[in-house]
Amino acid sequence: MAVPSPHRRTRLCSRPGCAEPAAATLTYRYDLSAVWIDDLAPEREPHDYDLCERHAGRFSVPHGWALEDRRGALNLPDRLAG
């Protein structure tokens, strides 16, 4: 198992002028007119966008596009865990 480097910098929100830490990853597909917001990806991808909590929560898509917020989708509800 890899140990995180103590020198690794915190990823920041991709929105211009925002210095908040990234909390979610936004991906999109133009051909499907679809956008997904997921928990922060382990590594930065060149075609994805990292967003802070505020910008992820306020993100909107153009008319005709679909937005799916999948943050926390992999977390089991408390009644199913343990």
Side-chain angles (χ1 to χ4, degrees), residues 2 30 36 41 44 57 68 71 81-82:
Y30 278 109
W36 299 273
R44 184 155 175 72
E68 186 177 350
R71 289 177 288 170

Side-chain angles (χ1 to χ4, degrees), residues 2 20 42 56 64 67 69 73:
E20 293 297 314
L67 171 63
D69 188 340

Side-chain angles (χ1 to χ4, degrees), residues 46-77:
H47 300 291
D48 296 348
Y49 295 91
D50 292 338
L51 298 175
C52 65
E53 282 291 337
R54 181 171 61 99
H55 285 121
R58 298 180 65 200
F59 193 83
S60 62
V61 296
H63 180 73
W65 281 60
L67 171 63
E68 186 177 350
D69 188 340
R70 303 184 296 196
R71 289 177 288 170
L74 299 179
N75 297 333
L76 292 175

